[in-house]
């Protein structure tokens, strides 16, 4: 498959941002150099900042994205209001252990602390909070408290998870497990496939941290 030049990627990222209903009305500038996309501009919510990042990554040929957009809330909420909303959203989310999580809000920035049982719960907690009005960013300091599996058993579970999902990149991945830490390297075709691989690993019990050294190479 023929590779794209930077100008083609820039045009397609711009089109993807206009196509996505979460970002279509935002004034986001796009620059591309050697397949690396830089996004700039002022946007009204953290959720839309994340949506812009996802939109850029969906374009084939994009290797990395620098999301330099700035979140500026048009109707600012107090930190106390945000704190009450964070507590409610965590209580309502059945996928996270809300009583094990506490939050600190400073000028709209949410810091999550405490313990959860799996890496997927850590990600689910941040995902629940990111769409809230008034949030300008999230620091996820949640720690994973689970029984440490033997490295060989954990590696086997990860390989089985990838096989069940028929991930075509599985053969090109190198998985090194030490304690509950998984060092992942190799190459994938796209950001979507990268996320699929990481999702398979993050849901594996016993995984506490993933070091993501995957390379996106669209044309291998």
């Amino acid at each position: 498959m023929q590779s794209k030049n930077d100008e083609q990627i820039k045009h397609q990222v711009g089109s993807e941002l206009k196509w996505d209903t979460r970002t279509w009305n935002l004034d986001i500038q796009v620059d591309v150099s050697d397949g690396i996309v830089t996004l700039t501009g002022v946007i009204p919510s953290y959720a839309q900042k994340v949506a812009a990042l996802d939109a850029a990554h969906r374009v084939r040929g994009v290797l990395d994205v620098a999301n330099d957009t700035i979140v500026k809330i048009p109707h600012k909420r107090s930190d106390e209001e945000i704190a009450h909303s964070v507590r409610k959203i965590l209580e309502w989310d059945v996928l996270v252990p809300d009583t094990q999580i506490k939050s600190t809000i400073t000028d709209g920035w949410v810091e999550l602390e405490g313990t959860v049982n799996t890496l997927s719960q850590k990600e689910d907690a941040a995902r629940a909070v990111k769409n809230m009005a008034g949030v300008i960013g999230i620091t996820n300091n949640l720690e994973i408290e689970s029984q440490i599996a033997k490295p060989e058993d954990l590696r086997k579970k990860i390989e089985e998870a990838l096989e069940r999902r028929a991930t075509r990149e599985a053969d090109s991945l190198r998985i090194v497990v030490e304690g509950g830490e998984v060092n992942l390297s190799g190459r994938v075709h796209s950001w979507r496939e990268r996320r699929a691989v990481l999702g398979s690993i993050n849901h594996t019990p016993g995984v506490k941290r993933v070091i993501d050294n995957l390379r996106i190479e669209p044309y291998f």
Side-chain angles (χ1 to χ4, degrees):
M1 183 179 296
Q2 187 177 4
S3 62
K4 301 174 185 177
N5 60 39
D6 287 344
E7 194 60 34
Q8 290 172 313
I9 293 173
K10 178 179 179 178
H11 174 74
Q12 292 185 1
V13 169
S15 296
E16 189 71 13
L17 289 167
K18 293 301 181 185
W19 172 83
D20 192 321
T21 55
R22 299 170 299 174
T23 58
W24 67 271
N25 61 342
L26 301 179
D27 184 16
I28 298 176
Q29 291 75 53
V30 180
D31 291 298
V32 184
S33 177
D34 297 327
I36 298 174
V37 175
T38 300
L39 304 177
T40 55
V42 178
I43 55 181
S45 72
Y46 179 66
Q48 287 170 297
K49 180 183 177 82
V50 176
L53 177 69
D54 289 342
H57 272 303
R58 285 197 299 268
V59 174
R60 189 172 181 84
V62 171
L63 301 179
D64 294 292
V65 179
N67 192 353
D68 291 336
T69 55
I70 297 172
V71 178
K72 188 173 182 180
I73 308 294
H75 304 290
K76 190 174 180 179
R77 301 174 70 198
S78 70
D79 289 343
E80 182 180 0
E81 288 179 297
I82 296 172
H84 283 292
S85 295
V86 168
R87 179 51 45 198
K88 287 298 182 184
I89 200 71
L90 292 175
E91 289 174 352
W92 293 339
D93 194 319
V94 297
L95 298 179
V96 299
D98 61 282
T99 57
Q100 299 172 212
I101 301 172
K102 63 179 181 179
S103 67
T104 303
I105 293 84
T106 306
D107 294 330
W109 195 284
V110 179
E111 181 178 1
L112 298 176
E113 296 178 297
T115 60
V116 291
N117 303 315
T118 64
L119 186 55
S120 59
Q121 286 183 345
K122 177 177 180 175
E123 294 184 344
D124 286 336
R127 190 175 297 114
V129 173
K130 77 175 177 66
N131 290 335
M132 287 175 41
V135 172
I136 66 169
I138 299 171
T139 300
N140 193 346
N141 288 328
L142 291 171
E143 296 183 359
I144 298 161
E145 194 175 66
S146 61
Q147 185 176 1
I148 297 177
K150 293 181 180 179
E152 58 271 21
D153 293 340
L154 190 53
R155 179 187 170 88
K156 183 179 179 182
K157 289 180 181 178
I158 291 170
E159 291 174 340
E160 288 173 348
L162 291 172
E163 185 178 348
R164 283 196 301 273
R165 290 159 177 76
T167 307
R168 61 176 177 169
E169 288 80 9
D171 292 339
S172 64
L173 302 181
R174 182 171 181 265
I175 303 169
V176 178
V177 180
E178 186 173 348
E181 183 175 279
V182 178
N183 194 312
L184 185 63
S185 58
R187 55 186 184 173
V188 292
H189 291 89
S190 67
W191 177 255
R192 186 187 299 270
E193 292 171 355
R194 181 182 194 170
R195 290 181 65 176
V197 171
L198 293 174
S200 298
I201 295 173
N202 291 350
H203 283 81
T204 303
V207 173
K208 292 192 171 185
R209 183 184 177 211
V210 177
I211 300 175
D212 175 16
N213 291 316
L214 291 175
R215 305 188 313 276
I216 296 176
E217 297 183 11
Y219 309 107
F220 78 87

